[in-house]
Amino acid sequence: PPRVVPSAPPPPLSARTPRREVLVHAVDVRSRSLVAAWLVCVRCVVPAISKTYDVNVVIGRNTSKKIALSNPYGLPRRFRLHCSRPDLISLKEKELTVPVGEFRYMGLRFSADSSLAPGVAEVLVLVNNEEDKNEECMLVRVAFVHEGGALPQPRTPARIERVAGELVDS
């Protein structure tokens, strides 16, 4: 049976390194001869951010928020929802159907893990169509703070134009 040789995972793709090449070899275990080799090239870019949200979360306390998602199309639409950091934000629903010209709320639950350290995390919430193609990307900046504490909000880079959105308490 095929085996995978453990190795250190490569660093994650980022805006500074959007391309990575990985060489993959298939080797016959018995004869130790090369069966095939592939060069896998990956290019990853962050979608354009349409809205940003800033939220303070008290470490160890359950926090939920809602974001309104509208349907500007002439037909009812089903959207698939994804999150770049499911360890910090879980989405209450994975799919959301929105009637024509209306809106529905997508629910976000923030981690209440008491072992989290204070700090700010940027999390992408992706809204995809039924074919899982991205339609909207929202940035949620989460400041994890201790009870009664607050962190300064991070500066938004000047090169990215963002529209601020409003989070609603659940």
Side-chain angles (χ1 to χ4, degrees):
R3 292 186 309 169
V4 175
V5 177
S7 65
L13 293 172
S14 70
R16 290 183 296 276
T17 59
R19 180 181 162 92
R20 178 172 304 127
E21 294 177 353
V22 178
L23 191 56
V24 179
H25 290 123
V27 177
D28 183 318
V29 177
R30 289 187 183 151
S31 67
R32 295 183 180 224
S33 61
L34 182 65
V35 175
W38 300 273
L39 177 63
V40 180
C41 300
V42 178
R43 183 173 180 269
C44 183
V45 292
V46 175
I49 295 170
S50 59
K51 296 178 185 136
T52 60
Y53 301 93
D54 293 304
V55 62
N56 285 343
V57 173
V58 176
I59 295 170
R61 183 184 298 163
N62 289 325
T63 304
S64 294
K65 298 287 184 182
K66 297 186 291 188
I67 297 176
L69 182 62
S70 63
N71 177 6
Y73 301 104
L75 298 169
R77 296 294 294 260
R78 184 178 336 164
F79 297 103
R80 293 184 177 162
L81 309 174
H82 303 279
C83 175
S84 66
R85 294 288 309 270
D87 58 319
L88 299 179
I89 296 177
S90 63
L91 301 169
K92 290 182 182 177
E93 47 281 303
K94 299 296 180 198
E95 290 189 350
L96 197 60
T97 301
V98 183
V100 177
E102 294 187 25
F103 70 91
R104 294 290 183 263
Y105 286 108
M106 67 174 134
L108 286 73
R109 290 188 193 114
F110 295 86
S111 176
D113 187 350
S114 60
S115 67
L116 286 170
V120 177
E122 293 192 344
V123 181
L124 298 176
V125 176
L126 303 165
V127 179
N128 295 352
N129 62 21
E130 288 179 320
E131 297 163 356
D132 229 11
K133 292 183 181 172
N134 185 247
E135 295 218 1
E136 189 170 6
C137 177
M138 302 170 204
L139 174 67
V140 180
R141 280 190 298 249
V142 187
F144 290 97
V145 297
H146 288 297
E147 186 74 43
L151 290 173
Q153 294 300 320
R155 280 192 40 193
T156 303
R159 63 179 177 78
I160 299 176
E161 185 176 323
R162 296 182 177 154
V163 177
E166 183 178 338
L167 281 171
V168 179
D169 287 324
S170 291

